[in-house]
Amino acid sequence: MQNKRAKFGRDGFIKIDSLLSMDEVEVLRSIYDELLQDRTKTGLLRSDLAGSGDGSDKKVERITQIMRPSTIEPRLQENSAYNMALQWAKDLLGSDMELDFDMLINKAPHTNTPTPWHQDAAYWINLPDKRAASCWIALDDVFEENGCMWFIPKKEGESIHPHKNLPNGGALYCETDTKNAKSIPLNPGGCTFHDGFTLHFSQGNTTETQRRALILNFRPQKMIELERAQGVDHTGERKSRNN
Ligand SMILES: O=C(O)CCC(=O)C(=O)O
């Protein structure tokens, strides 16, 4: 654990080979697929990180993002993923860490659309306590060709780069030197943790199967309260709030 904590503090990310058993992964997969198919239930919580397209064929989602899925599907929170990841977040960053929000990000087969380089803190309001940990849980085998995560080890005092939106309300992105970038393949049930300042990216999915990830984001309880007091509940518009 001490090694993981030190590496998380230094590089801004760590890999955990096995967070969940295959039984727990199977339960999550089945809830996940139900949500992906249910466009009514997921409604405004759902969008395409690649942008909403040119209006000609809005049904083809390339990178489906569903925010706060456990608010519409409480069975998710019964899965030990939430407790296991929370325990890791507390071990990495302190006992006051709590779940701020969860999200699903799916890359459909043959959509070949990268998630561009960005830092999560660019999406967030500027909070006095910057501690945060995102747990990215693989529900499929993930590797470069279907969109595993890539990270650039953090530089000391890394600040937030200027970010812009991809066209049509898509993901935030920034310019960065990628020579030190590392890909992190995972088995189903494996995960990574990264902090809000760590640059990350994933390639498009060029394979025949989907690439499903469940992402749990933790920060200090007091900062969650500050966010909520300002109306930030991670269901709203995707925009740069912290440059
Ligand atoms: O799943 C992806 O492709 C990107 C995930 C991501 O950017 C994140 O979890 O912060």
Side-chain angles (χ1 to χ4, degrees), residues 71-241:
T71 61
I72 47 174
E73 187 39 272
R75 280 183 299 157
L76 279 172
Q77 291 237 29
E78 291 164 17
N79 191 277
S80 66
Y82 284 71
N83 260 332
M84 300 288 285
L86 175 62
Q87 198 48 57
W88 269 98
K90 287 179 188 282
D91 288 346
L92 291 171
L93 287 174
S95 59
D96 57 342
M97 302 300 285
E98 295 296 341
L99 182 71
D100 182 2
F101 63 94
D102 53 353
M103 61 180 168
L104 311 183
I105 300 185
N106 181 54
K107 291 201 167 188
H110 296 300
T111 42
N112 198 9
T113 308
T115 309
W117 285 102
H118 68 281
Q119 295 160 297
D120 292 339
Y123 282 99
W124 305 333
I125 56 172
N126 186 12
L127 291 164
D129 185 336
K130 315 278 186 227
R131 286 176 295 150
S134 288
C135 179
W136 191 99
I137 305 170
L139 300 186
D140 296 293
D141 265 312
V142 295
F143 42 90
E144 292 181 9
E145 292 75 15
N146 71 352
C148 70
M149 291 282 267
W150 291 66
F151 298 99
I152 301 176
K154 248 187 355 179
K155 294 198 203 84
E156 197 148 340
E158 184 93 62
S159 56
I160 304 176
H161 299 224
H163 283 69
K164 291 190 190 138
N165 279 95
L166 290 177
N168 303 310
L172 293 184
Y173 70 95
C174 66
E175 303 296 332
T176 184
D177 175 357
T178 59
K179 70 172 183 303
N180 294 327
K182 289 187 170 55
S183 63
I184 311 288
L186 292 167
N187 295 324
C191 73
T192 52
F193 275 88
H194 64 274
D195 78 13
F197 292 83
T198 304
L199 285 147
H200 56 285
F201 146 97
S202 67
Q203 285 181 188
N205 183 1
T206 55
T207 71
E208 286 175 3
T209 51
Q210 53 184 354
R211 189 236 63 183
R212 291 166 289 191
L214 166 66
I215 298 128
L216 308 181
N217 190 279
F218 302 93
R219 70 174 77 249
Q221 177 61 31
K222 283 210 157 56
M223 297 302 105
I224 299 173
E225 286 160 19
L226 268 183
E227 284 186 320
R228 298 297 186 267
Q230 295 188 43
V232 174
D233 64 359
H234 302 279
T235 60
E237 192 193 351
R238 228 177 346 254
K239 62 180 185 191
S240 171
R241 297 184 171 82

Side-chain angles (χ1 to χ4, degrees), residues 55-69:
S56 55
D57 189 357
K58 288 198 165 170
K59 289 212 172 77
V60 179
E61 287 172 335
R62 290 161 287 173
I63 315 176
T64 305
Q65 182 180 46
I66 301 172
M67 298 304 294
R68 306 287 304 270

